[in-house]
Amino acid sequence: MTPMSRGLVHALAWSLSTGAAVTLSWWGVHTVMAGTAYDRPRALPITAQTSTASPAEPQQSSTRRPPPPPTGSPSPKPSPSAPDRPSPGPSRTTAPAPSPTGPAPAPAPGNVKGYTVDGGRVVFDIGTSSAELVSATPESGWQMQVWKQPSWIRVTFTQEGREVSVFCTWNDHPPMVQFDER
């Protein structure tokens, strides 16, 4: 075999292995990312009574994958209403009451409910057998991530190692909303 034909064989082998590696990498990334994409939430109208703050800064979101949502259905405990409570210790479940700030649009097929937690506000359209995310808005300085699957939606607000999640699940039961703070 001549040096030139040996070089062509090496170039051909390199091209084929590089093409196979790129194809495999693209397929793996595409498969992972297909389950994490979501439609942008629709914003609710803001009334003059509820918007006295300055315009919000652009928010960033992380691409870090969260742990899977809880499979059990623990009863949420009411959170204290004091605005300056100490930072939480180990993981706990809290259930803030739906926020009465601002009128919600007239619900069409379901029941539109808003939940305000440390880190932001989440609004779901809760039907009898499923739910949709209407909007999720982080507070200033917090990042937000949203995950949608066929039987649950998770919205997580993070800031400096603190994580507050709102879960809406409806797997073989009517939709219910749970909260987790870490």
Side-chain angles (χ1 to χ4, degrees), residues 52-65:
T52 58
S54 63
E57 299 174 20
Q59 300 297 317
Q60 300 176 2
S61 78
S62 170
T63 57
R64 180 177 61 83
R65 198 165 259 262

Side-chain angles (χ1 to χ4, degrees), residues 28-38 65-66 146-150 152:
V29 169
H30 175 73
T31 303
V32 168
M33 295 304 290
T36 61
Y38 67 95
R65 198 165 259 262
V146 177
W147 295 269
K148 286 185 176 181
Q149 293 295 318
W152 56 268

